[in-house]
Amino acid sequence: MVVPGTPTGPGSLLSLVSPSPRARLPAGDVPPSWGLAGWRPRTSPSLSLRWPRSCGSPSASGSIWKKSSSWMGATGCRRCRGVAWPCPCWRRSCPSCGCPGRCPVGWSGSRAARRQTPAQKLRDQLRRLLGQSWSEELERDVPRAWQRHGDLVLLSEDSFRAAPWEKLGPALWEAVASALGAQRVARRGRVLPDGIRSPSVTLLLGQDGWVEHVDNGIRYTFDVTKCMFSPGNITEKLRVASLPCSGEVLVDLYAGIGYFTLPYLVHAAAAFAHACEWNGHAVEALRRNLELNGVRDRCRVHHGDSRQLELRDVADRVNLGLIPSSEEGWPVACRVLKKDTGGVLHIHHNVESLPALAPPQLQAERGSPEAQHPTEDCGKGTPGVRIRPEWQRWAEAVAARIQGLLAELHGQLWHTSILHIQAVKSYAPHVHHLVLDLECRPTPPA
């Protein structure tokens, strides 16, 4: 196949894919790894390859080179990672006219062809929109990261706060949506201190805040202006999905829109779940998500304060996914555990650690025999992280507290053992969001 307008004479692009390609290039300019036999042109709307102008050859627009269904670089260039052939970073002379220090093929066309990041596309679009008004202050105010939920982009609260942005009005948000390939734009503010962690989100472009987010094969729908969604919890959701919960009954005391309830039901194969939530907007989203994922018949939603939950003696597993502390739910978790067999509690908490650079006396204390504790890998998503002494001490204190609550509630001895300590994410300087897997079993009478 020949792309219209493609030169076919000596030194042209198609001459490089002739039956004897090596004979067409200057001696010494063909690395042994090329293997050009079998290369063929293929049209693409996003790439445009052409000779350098100094070569005087017409351009071959819209052609890229493909072999064995994978993009390959002619030289294995570390910069472009073999995205195109001939490699645009290849610094040898032009094979047609011998121009020194030029790539054999130059780039033209869209920014996508030049492999721009979304942040670069956004910055360039805004620079064109503002023209002479562009400044370093505005460039610092352009976000480099954001959340994406379907066709909606959620910006951070500290973006686009400079005064010149206000003069653009809706044109600014239309430009942002165009650059990022979105239809709607919103900006989040601080979480409201109303007891249910309501988000403060402003919809800047669009009329409806309902979005759909796919996470590990699970569909979540929610209104971004009324419900929180934390992408930082993905490692814990993946871990929950891998737990062996077949045939078990789960009680999720802080279900939200189903962050952990759904992984337990969809992937971990829990037999049934009791999902407790007191935020009405989250409950609406939770019910929709149960329907979306086909598990509505295996979950009962309890709308209200989980501290007033009337369930008893039903759970093999209890999830307490509330930060900074889930301590108020510990008595309820003990009450819903099966009294004859017990179960496992997954306790979330924010734990403060000592700074890395501590005074000498604290460093000596860390190295003392009393401060030594077993270490373990914190799981997938946190490679190389080790259990810190503060984390271990917190886990041991929680285990002792839960053991006392169970003994007081049931009038018999219980045994608690630490199964795992998982670091989910860094919440603040020297503060980590942790999850303690605590096994709780009744002690048989002597």
Side-chain angles (χ1 to χ4, degrees):
M1 179 184 74
V2 178
V3 181
T6 303
T8 57
S12 66
L13 287 176
L14 290 186
S15 71
L16 298 181
V17 292
S18 64
S20 302
R22 295 175 187 269
R24 302 284 182 177
L25 296 178
D29 275 1
V30 184
S33 61
W34 270 29
L36 293 175
W39 289 91
R40 56 187 175 85
R42 178 173 175 175
T43 58
S44 169
S46 63
L47 295 181
S48 177
L49 304 182
R50 67 184 179 186
W51 292 102
R53 290 185 179 180
S54 59
C55 299
S57 302
S59 64
S61 178
S63 64
I64 55 180
W65 305 89
K66 186 178 181 183
K67 182 179 182 181
S68 302
S69 301
S70 62
W71 306 116
M72 302 177 66
T75 63
C77 174
R78 293 183 180 179
R79 182 182 300 176
C80 73
R81 302 292 182 184
V83 169
W85 182 90
C87 170
C89 306
W90 188 54
R91 300 297 177 185
R92 292 182 181 272
S93 59
C94 171
S96 175
C97 64
C99 302
R102 297 294 299 271
C103 286
V105 172
W107 284 84
S108 68
S110 67
R111 289 183 178 82
R114 296 198 293 270
R115 296 169 59 81
Q116 280 192 315
T117 66
Q120 291 170 332
K121 294 179 185 179
L122 175 60
R123 188 169 59 252
D124 286 352
Q125 181 114 337
L126 295 175
R127 185 184 290 114
R128 289 196 304 273
L129 181 64
L130 286 167
Q132 297 298 325
S133 302
W134 186 256
S135 65
E136 292 184 3
E137 177 190 1
L138 294 178
E139 183 163 355
R140 288 192 298 268
D141 206 28
V142 176
R144 290 173 171 78
W146 46 83
Q147 291 183 25
R148 179 180 290 273
H149 303 293
D151 66 350
L152 183 143
V153 169
L154 182 60
L155 305 173
S156 61
E157 60 180 309
D158 58 349
S159 59
F160 298 112
R161 291 300 187 182
W165 298 120
E166 299 179 3
K167 301 177 183 178
L168 297 177
L172 169 62
W173 311 122
E174 292 172 0
V176 171
S178 174
L180 301 182
Q183 299 295 324
R184 296 174 290 168
V185 179
R187 180 169 55 196
R188 65 173 180 265
R190 297 185 180 277
V191 177
L192 301 178
D194 56 0
I196 57 177
R197 292 179 58 80
S198 297
S200 176
V201 174
T202 304
L203 199 60
L204 304 170
L205 180 66
Q207 303 297 325
D208 184 10
W210 279 91
V211 299
E212 183 170 313
H213 186 98
V214 179
D215 208 355
N216 192 25
I218 297 175
R219 297 169 64 188
Y220 296 89
T221 184
F222 58 99
D223 188 338
V224 294
T225 66
K226 298 175 182 177
C227 298
M228 296 286 295
F229 188 91
S230 176
N233 292 340
I234 181 61
T235 55
E236 178 62 10
K237 285 185 281 190
L238 290 172
R239 191 179 74 92
V240 161
S242 67
L243 293 175
C245 302
S246 179
E248 293 185 351
V249 175
L250 165 76
V251 173
D252 192 348
L253 291 180
Y254 310 100
I257 66 172
Y259 309 106
F260 298 111
T261 302
L262 290 169
Y264 275 113
L265 290 172
V266 175
H267 293 310
F272 196 83
H274 294 274
C276 310
E277 178 56 44
W278 67 355
N279 183 344
H281 301 299
V283 168
E284 180 184 1
L286 173 61
R287 295 186 192 278
R288 293 191 186 192
N289 292 331
L290 292 170
E291 291 284 355
L292 275 177
N293 293 278
V295 292
R296 181 67 186 89
D297 59 334
R298 292 162 50 205
C299 182
R300 178 184 173 188
V301 178
H302 300 264
H303 183 189
D305 190 341
S306 61
R307 291 171 296 187
Q308 309 301 323
L309 188 65
E310 297 181 355
L311 291 176
R312 287 179 176 270
D313 188 25
V314 297
D316 301 288
R317 198 176 292 266
V318 183
N319 195 74
L320 297 106
L322 181 66
I323 55 173
S325 175
S326 60
E327 189 169 355
E328 289 188 350
W330 296 357
V332 182
C334 294
R335 188 168 63 245
V336 299
L337 274 181
K338 291 182 177 179
K339 63 181 181 180
D340 294 330
T341 58
V344 177
L345 306 183
H346 301 280
I347 302 172
H348 293 236
H349 199 84
N350 282 352
V351 178
E352 185 174 1
S353 304
L354 292 173
L357 297 177
Q361 62 272 20
L362 288 181
Q363 293 181 5
E365 180 182 343
R366 289 184 186 183
S368 64
E370 294 79 15
Q372 301 303 312
H373 296 277
T375 62
E376 61 175 315
D377 194 336
C378 284
K380 184 176 181 181
T382 53
V385 177
R386 297 290 175 176
I387 298 299
R388 303 186 182 187
E390 298 88 350
W391 302 356
Q392 185 71 25
R393 286 195 289 269
W394 165 76
E396 292 170 356
V398 172
R401 173 75 185 283
I402 296 294
Q403 186 178 28
L405 289 173
L406 289 166
E408 181 181 351
L409 177 65
H410 297 288
Q412 68 177 96
L413 293 177
W414 280 63
H415 174 71
T416 57
S417 58
I418 299 172
L419 298 179
H420 183 69
I421 301 173
Q422 176 72 25
V424 179
K425 62 181 180 291
S426 176
Y427 188 83
H430 314 302
V431 178
H432 289 83
H433 174 186
L434 304 182
V435 180
L436 167 63
D437 295 350
L438 187 67
E439 185 177 27
C440 308
R441 305 294 180 189
T443 302

